[in-house]
Amino acid sequence: LELAAGGTLLLKDIDKMPPHMQLKLLQFIKSGSFLRIGGEEAVRADTRIIATASASLQSRMEEGYFLEELYYKLNVMGIEMPPLRERMEDIPELVQAFLREFSLQYNKLIPKPDKDVMTALMNYDWPGNIRELRNVVERIVVLGDGGAISVEQLPQGLVSELQHDNGRIEEGDIFLKARLTDQEENAIIYEALHKAYGNKSAAAKLLGISRGTLYNKMKEYGIKF
């Protein structure tokens, strides 16, 4: 806090902060001062706090693991970042960015993932979110020779059967533009599926429709992907 005086302190994974530290942080936010370890004199610091959490802080508070008052003190402006599994369309760009980053770091040629690799990445749930994706890409670069990336280079737990969830049409679906011909609509759907490497959820997001609508359209046009 003292080193960050006049600036911003980022506290990562604050949902894992021990209760006694939560209390100390709350006292600082309320008073603007703190005691050094072993100190007796209060030290003032004008420090802005930004906190991130990998779990729902509200749930942690309701379960009794996070101080209620601290939760409301921190939650002045909350930004919810959807998990990677809910924005799968971002994966191709993230993969390319991480491949460039780690190839430069380890002085290697930038490898190129084949279609099967991208299909596997697009159909994995990513419980560890972007951190997990970043670690997987770093592993690929470190163990690879700079050539094409194959499925065999992916972690065993990541390669699994593609998920096929049957969706349903929900209210508020944004349908493909009515002025399109069947042929044009067919082509747009196929292109979205191609960009999403066959991931139906990501393709539906690209099209602005629900997964259920996408399945119906695919059935209507006889699209198999």
Side-chain angles (χ1 to χ4, degrees):
L1 288 168
E2 189 172 4
L3 289 173
T8 302
L9 178 65
L10 173 65
L11 300 175
K12 296 176 64 177
D13 295 325
I14 198 168
D15 50 305
K16 300 174 183 175
M17 179 178 280
H20 71 283
M21 289 302 295
Q22 293 178 33
L23 184 59
K24 287 179 180 290
L25 179 60
L26 175 61
Q27 291 169 344
F28 166 75
I29 293 174
K30 292 169 69 174
S31 67
S33 62
F34 64 93
L35 292 175
R36 293 191 184 98
I37 296 176
E40 297 180 356
E41 186 176 332
V43 178
R44 295 199 61 81
D46 180 18
T47 306
R48 177 170 48 202
I49 302 293
I50 296 179
T52 67
S54 54
S56 168
L57 269 189
Q58 183 172 350
S59 297
R60 297 284 292 172
M61 176 191 70
E62 291 170 351
E63 293 166 0
Y65 296 109
F66 200 83
L67 292 177
E68 182 176 358
E69 189 175 358
L70 178 58
Y71 169 78
Y72 289 113
K73 285 287 187 182
L74 291 173
N75 199 29
V76 175
M77 180 180 293
I79 300 175
E80 185 174 346
M81 178 67 72
L84 190 55
R85 64 178 176 273
E86 292 181 9
R87 47 193 177 97
M88 304 294 273
E89 64 273 15
D90 291 347
I91 289 179
E93 288 189 30
L94 288 170
V95 169
Q96 292 301 324
F98 293 149
L99 284 174
R100 288 193 296 270
E101 176 188 345
F102 291 118
S103 296
L104 182 63
Q105 179 178 332
Y106 294 106
N107 196 25
K108 291 191 173 187
L109 294 174
I110 300 176
K112 183 177 180 181
D114 63 27
K115 182 179 178 181
D116 290 339
V117 169
M118 291 306 301
T119 299
L121 296 178
M122 293 288 290
N123 286 275
Y124 180 62
D125 277 345
W126 299 106
N129 290 309
I130 291 180
R131 291 180 191 174
E132 184 179 7
L133 176 62
R134 193 171 186 275
N135 289 341
V136 167
V137 175
E138 182 175 12
R139 178 183 186 274
I140 289 171
V141 172
V142 170
L143 299 180
D145 56 6
I149 304 169
S150 64
V151 174
E152 287 72 24
Q153 293 171 263
L154 297 177
Q156 189 62 38
L158 190 149
V159 183
S160 59
E161 294 183 6
L162 303 184
Q163 299 172 348
H164 298 287
D165 293 329
N166 292 321
R168 63 184 181 84
I169 299 177
E170 299 175 357
E171 291 185 17
D173 280 345
I174 305 173
F175 290 91
L176 297 174
K177 294 178 181 179
R179 67 173 178 269
L180 296 177
T181 65
D182 289 351
Q183 186 176 5
E184 290 171 332
E185 194 172 65
N186 189 331
I188 289 174
I189 292 172
Y190 189 87
E191 179 65 19
L193 287 164
H194 179 72
K195 286 182 178 179
Y197 295 89
N199 184 284
K200 309 301 187 298
S201 296
K205 282 189 176 182
L206 289 173
L207 292 167
I209 59 178
S210 75
R211 192 168 54 220
T213 302
L214 176 61
Y215 276 109
N216 287 337
K217 291 288 185 180
M218 290 176 65
K219 184 177 181 181
E220 178 183 346
Y221 293 123
I223 300 175
K224 295 183 179 179
F225 208 99

